[in-house]
Amino acid sequence: MLAADPGASIASIATEAGVDRRTVYRRFASREDLLAAIHASRLAAIEEAIEDARLREAPVAIALHRYVENIIAVNRTWPVDLARMLADDGVRARRDASVREVDVFLERATEEGLLRSDLPPGWASALLPQLMHLASRQMPGLSPAQATDVVVDTMLRGLGTS
């Protein structure tokens, strides 16, 4: 609900969940606490997705495919407003660490020749999240596997060396 309507009230969220709003307030003292819990859950899912992709150990093509499929699933499960999420310094620091991990991976992909080295610095790092967002949100008819194939193909053919 919050993805569709960031201003959704606790009462409407409770109604949609089939519970009394007092039930929600027993768990979350305020709307901000609820949002913080959602943001923390999304961030934990992102961190788990990165860990599962084995960006440092797995062959680059396999790690890229795992990472993209994992993040598409996260984006569809936790479609929250990232700008609001990143307003919290602790959340931003954790998110920045995840971004650095992916940046290191994309540098490895370039060094190993999977991605073109003649593009502006940071281009792959800027493009990949946009492609995943597009596939996650604008193409809901694609399964996570299909969306992943489109994103990875776009990365490798649009940025790839072959």
Side-chain angles (χ1 to χ4, degrees), residues 5-70:
D5 178 11
S9 69
I10 292 289
S12 62
I13 292 168
T15 299
E16 182 70 21
V19 299
D20 187 80
R21 73 184 181 116
R22 290 174 295 191
T23 302
V24 176
Y25 278 116
R26 274 194 288 272
R27 170 98 184 191
F28 306 103
S30 68
R31 189 171 186 287
E32 281 65 39
D33 287 349
L34 172 61
L35 287 171
I38 291 168
H39 296 156
S41 293
R42 176 182 166 86
L43 190 54
I46 289 168
E47 292 164 342
E48 185 177 313
I50 289 171
E51 184 177 327
D52 179 65
R54 299 179 50 233
L55 299 180
R56 292 183 187 261
E57 304 88 28
V60 172
I62 292 170
L64 177 62
H65 200 274
R66 279 185 189 151
Y67 170 70
V68 170
E69 189 164 9
N70 291 345

Side-chain angles (χ1 to χ4, degrees), residues 77-130:
T77 302
W78 301 100
V80 297
D81 178 4
L82 294 177
R84 290 189 69 168
M85 179 176 156
L86 298 176
D88 178 274
D89 290 339
V91 169
R92 180 180 291 278
R94 285 177 61 195
R95 187 268 194 168
D96 289 350
S98 294
V99 168
R100 280 191 300 278
E101 187 76 19
V102 174
D103 287 347
V104 167
F105 166 72
L106 292 172
E107 289 171 15
R108 179 168 77 101
T110 302
E111 290 166 6
E112 291 185 16
L114 199 66
L115 299 177
R116 290 175 32 198
S117 61
D118 63 336
L119 295 168
W123 183 248
S125 295
L127 183 59
L128 183 57
Q130 296 301 320

